[in-house]
Amino acid sequence: MKTLISWMAKMHDFTKNMPIEVDEEGPTCTFHKEFYQHDRHLILYSNNDNDADIRIGKLLTVLKQKYPKRNFESHPLNIPDVINIPKIKSKVETLIMKECKDDEITIFFSPGTSAMQISWYLINEAGMFNTELLQVRPKQHSNSRKPELLKIEVEKSTIPGSSIIKEESVAHHKENYLITDSLKPIYSRASMIAQADQVTTLIFGESGSGKEHLANYIHKESARSSNPFIAVNCSAFTDELLESRLFGHIKGSFTGASSDHKGLMEEANGGTIFLDEIGDISPYMQQVLLRVIQEKKVLRIGDSLEKKIDVRIITATNKNLPLKCMEGSFRWDLFYRLAVTELTLPPLRERGVKEVEELLNFFITSKQKIFKRPKKLKLDKKSRNYILNYSFPGNVREIENLVENLYVFNTESVSMETLPERLINTTDESKLDLKTVEKLHIKKVLKMAKSKQHAAELLGCVINTLNKKIKEYDIKTENTF
C-alpha cells in the first residue's frame, strides 16, 4: 500500500480570518490537487491545541467533498511540547509501527513545526521504514508559476534507528542520583533506547545497583514521560497476588475480591511499567506475561473480555537469566521478548575507589538537607579510609543507607567509634585485599574441581603450591572431595 503521511498545517492550511476556514491554496489541499497518487492519507495533528479538533474536522470535510474516493485518516497525537524533537519522533515512529510499517510511505515534509520536520528527517534517515521525503515549492516561489514537487534526497544510515538528538544532558537527571563516569556510557545507551518506543529492555545488575533509577531514566527520556511510571517487585508476591496486581480482577473472582480492580498494567497505560526481579516469577506467570507482551492485551482474573493496553515494559534481574533458561527454569521465548535491548549495571566494587568517594560525598551533601543539619558531616581520615576500602555488597543503596546511618548517630563529625560494625569487622566476602581475594578464589575452585589435582590444574599451579596455600589460608577441604 502507498501511504501519504503529513501534519496538519495549523497556520498554512487555513485562512488567517475568523471564523476558521480551510485555505484551498494551502499545502495539504495543493498536494491533493497536484500530486496525490496514494492509497490513503494519514493526517497527524497535535490535540493539545484548543481548536485542533475544529481545524481537522473542517480540513477533512473539504478534502472528502473534493475527493470522495480518497481514503483520509486523522490521528491525534498528545504532544504538549511541539519543539521537543525526541518526543515527537518517538510518537510518530510508534504510530507508523502500528498503522503502516510495511507500506511504501511518502512523508509530506512541508507542513508542521521545524521540530516536526526534523523528526521526519531523522525517521527517514534511520532507514527503519520504506520512506521518501517530498516537499512542495509553492507556485508564488516557482519559476513556472505552478507548484513544484521536490524530493529530499538523504543518505540513509547503515544502523537502523541510529539518529538520535538529545536536548537534555545527563546532568538534568542528577538531582537525586549521581551518574558517575562508569555509568555515563550506560545512560547514553539508555537515552537511545528511550527513543525506540516499541522495544522492551532488560536491565541486569546486582541488588542496589540502581536498576529502577535507570528504568525511570528511560521513561523520563521517552515520549511517555508525562504518563505513569509504575514499578513492581515481582519477587514480593505469590502467583495469585502478582497476577491480580498486574492484570486486575473482577468482583467475586476469588475470596476477598469484593469489587472490580484495575491492574497495574492498565494503570500504566500510555506510560511505562518496570518489573523488577523478573527472574523470580513462576513458569505460570512467565506464560501469562509472554502472552500479554505478544497480544498487547490483558485479561482480568475472572473476566472473559480482554482489554488493550499501550505500555512500555522494562524488566530487571540480579539473576543470570540465560543460565536459568539453559537450566529450564526460565522460558527462552520470554527471555528473547524481554531482552530486545539489554543494559548491565556494574557492581560498586568494580567501579573504583574514586567513584565510591564521589558517591559518599554526594550523599553526604544531599542528606544534609533531608536531616536538616546546619553543616555537612565530616569524616576523620581513619573512618573515611575504612569506608572507601569496604566492598559495599549492597552497592549504591548500601552507601546511601550508610550515610543516613551516620547522620542519625552523628551531629558534625564521624569517627571510627560510630561506624557500623559490619564496616569494621568485615567478612572475607567484603574484603578487597589480594590475600583474601586469592583465598576466596581457591575455595571457589576447590568446590568446582573433582580433586585437588584437578583444582591445581584449573588454578595453573602444581599440587604442592596448592597444598601450601590451603595450609596458609586454613582452608577446610574435608567436605570438598
Side-chain angles (χ1 to χ4, degrees):
M1 180 180 289
K2 288 194 68 174
T3 296
L4 175 69
I5 185 168
S6 68
W7 291 97
M8 176 182 70
K10 181 180 177 182
M11 301 300 294
H12 299 100
D13 275 333
F14 304 90
T15 61
K16 296 180 180 179
N17 303 324
M18 295 299 289
I20 297 170
E21 297 295 341
V22 174
D23 183 355
E24 297 189 16
E25 299 294 319
T28 301
C29 287
T30 298
F31 194 99
H32 274 273
K33 180 180 178 181
E34 303 286 346
F35 307 113
Y36 184 84
Q37 295 180 345
H38 301 80
D39 298 306
R40 61 171 175 167
H41 184 184
L42 308 184
I43 305 176
L44 316 184
Y45 68 100
S46 173
N47 60 353
N48 291 85
D49 297 327
N50 293 331
D51 59 3
D53 290 330
I54 297 173
R55 288 179 184 272
I56 193 66
K58 286 182 175 284
L59 181 61
L60 289 174
T61 298
V62 169
L63 290 172
K64 288 177 180 178
Q65 285 176 347
K66 284 185 166 291
Y67 311 104
K69 294 184 179 180
R70 294 179 185 176
N71 184 8
F72 300 96
E73 299 175 26
S74 64
H75 288 272
L77 294 179
N78 180 21
I79 301 177
D81 184 356
V82 295
I83 64 169
N84 189 314
I85 297 168
K87 291 186 180 179
I88 294 171
K89 177 176 175 288
S90 181
K91 289 273 188 181
V92 174
E93 283 179 333
T94 300
L95 177 76
I96 292 175
M97 285 293 294
K98 290 181 179 178
E99 300 293 336
C100 53
K101 65 177 181 178
D102 298 321
D103 294 358
E104 294 179 44
I105 302 170
T106 296
I107 296 173
F108 184 24
F109 189 80
S110 302
T113 66
S114 57
M116 292 172 176
Q117 291 173 331
I118 292 173
S119 298
W120 283 139
Y121 179 91
L122 294 174
I123 289 169
N124 184 72
E125 194 275 342
M128 295 173 66
F129 309 107
N130 181 14
T131 57
E132 64 173 353
L133 291 178
L134 298 180
Q135 63 179 340
V136 171
R137 177 180 286 140
K139 63 182 181 181
Q140 61 267 32
H141 300 302
S142 168
N143 293 332
S144 64
R145 295 299 170 188
K146 291 182 179 179
E148 295 179 2
L149 188 65
L150 306 174
K151 184 172 183 178
I152 303 174
E153 297 287 354
V154 177
E155 183 178 345
K156 296 194 176 184
S157 169
T158 57
I159 305 174
S162 65
S163 294
I164 302 293
I165 284 189
K166 284 291 295 139
E167 291 185 328
E168 295 177 302
S169 69
V170 166
H172 176 73
H173 296 274
K174 284 187 176 179
E175 294 91 347
N176 300 309
Y177 198 89
L178 180 63
I179 300 174
T180 52
D181 287 344
S182 66
L183 296 186
K184 285 177 181 177
I186 299 168
Y187 274 77
S188 178
R189 287 174 61 82
S191 294
M192 300 170 73
I193 290 171
Q195 311 311 314
D197 193 62
Q198 294 299 307
V199 302
T200 57
T201 304
L202 177 58
I203 302 172
F204 293 96
E206 293 182 1
S207 179
S209 58
K211 299 189 291 295
E212 183 172 341
H213 183 272
L214 183 57
N216 203 352
Y217 177 88
I218 294 171
H219 171 73
K220 287 179 178 178
E221 288 286 288
S222 75
R224 298 175 178 267
S225 60
S226 59
N227 295 318
F229 173 85
I230 296 177
V232 184
N233 186 337
C234 297
S235 65
F237 301 97
T238 63
D239 276 3
E240 186 179 62
L241 283 175
L242 183 59
E243 186 175 12
S244 175
R245 289 280 288 169
L246 290 179
F247 312 126
H249 60 257
I250 62 172
K251 182 179 179 180
S253 55
F254 55 83
T255 303
S258 56
S259 61
D260 289 355
H261 172 71
K262 184 188 290 187
L264 294 177
M265 286 281 191
E266 287 184 71
E267 294 283 358
N269 205 37
T272 303
I273 191 159
F274 172 57
L275 304 178
D276 199 5
E277 309 299 353
I278 194 67
D280 292 335
I281 64 174
S282 69
Y284 169 74
M285 284 305 300
Q286 292 174 36
Q287 181 181 357
V288 174
L289 183 59
L290 177 65
R291 188 174 186 282
V292 169
I293 295 172
Q294 289 174 333
E295 303 297 329
K296 293 181 171 58
K297 294 177 182 178
V298 295
L299 182 66
R300 293 183 184 182
I301 297 175
D303 204 351
S304 58
L305 183 64
E306 291 183 314
K307 298 181 183 295
K308 288 193 70 173
I309 55 167
D310 171 25
V311 175
R312 179 178 206 138
I313 296 176
I314 302 176
T315 55
T317 183
N318 58 14
K319 301 287 197 307
N320 185 335
L321 276 196
L323 180 60
K324 287 177 71 71
C325 289
M326 287 188 282
E327 293 171 347
S329 58
F330 202 87
R331 297 176 64 116
W332 277 113
D333 49 2
L334 178 58
F335 173 78
Y336 291 132
R337 287 282 186 175
L338 297 177
V340 175
T341 55
E342 298 177 36
L343 295 169
T344 301
L345 286 167
L348 192 55
R349 63 183 174 276
E350 294 179 5
R351 290 164 54 182
V353 174
K354 180 186 173 184
E355 290 199 10
V356 173
E357 188 162 26
E358 285 180 14
L359 286 164
L360 179 64
N361 294 335
F362 171 78
F363 286 123
I364 286 174
T365 300
S366 61
K367 299 300 179 182
Q368 177 196 355
K369 300 174 185 177
I370 296 173
F371 285 88
K372 299 178 181 178
R373 296 295 172 83
K375 295 181 181 179
K376 290 190 294 185
L377 281 180
K378 289 186 177 180
L379 308 178
D380 66 24
K381 186 176 181 180
K382 190 173 183 181
S383 62
R384 179 176 284 270
N385 286 338
Y386 258 84
I387 291 172
L388 295 182
N389 286 302
Y390 180 66
S391 65
F392 287 101
N395 294 293
V396 179
R397 185 184 298 131
E398 185 177 8
I399 198 169
E400 182 179 8
N401 291 346
L402 170 64
V403 172
E404 291 182 354
N405 175 290
L406 297 179
Y407 266 108
V408 169
F409 294 109
N410 300 273
T411 54
E412 292 186 6
S413 61
V414 177
S415 62
M416 287 293 296
E417 289 72 25
T418 56
L419 288 183
E421 184 67 21
R422 71 177 184 278
L423 267 72
I424 300 170
N425 297 316
T426 56
T427 62
D428 282 348
E429 286 73 15
S430 300
K431 295 177 182 177
L432 297 176
D433 62 280
L434 188 58
K435 285 188 174 182
T436 303
V437 172
E438 185 178 51
K439 174 184 175 181
L440 290 174
H441 184 60
I442 291 172
K443 289 174 71 175
K444 178 181 177 181
V445 173
L446 285 169
K447 287 182 180 178
M448 294 169 54
K450 300 173 184 177
S451 63
K452 277 189 182 181
Q453 183 62 46
H454 184 212
E457 291 171 3
L458 292 174
L459 288 165
C461 65
V462 297
I463 189 70
N464 288 342
T465 301
L466 176 57
N467 284 328
K468 182 179 177 181
K469 291 289 184 182
I470 290 172
K471 184 177 179 180
E472 178 185 350
Y473 295 136
D474 192 25
I475 298 173
K476 306 300 181 186
T477 59
E478 289 83 357
N479 299 323
T480 306
F481 304 109

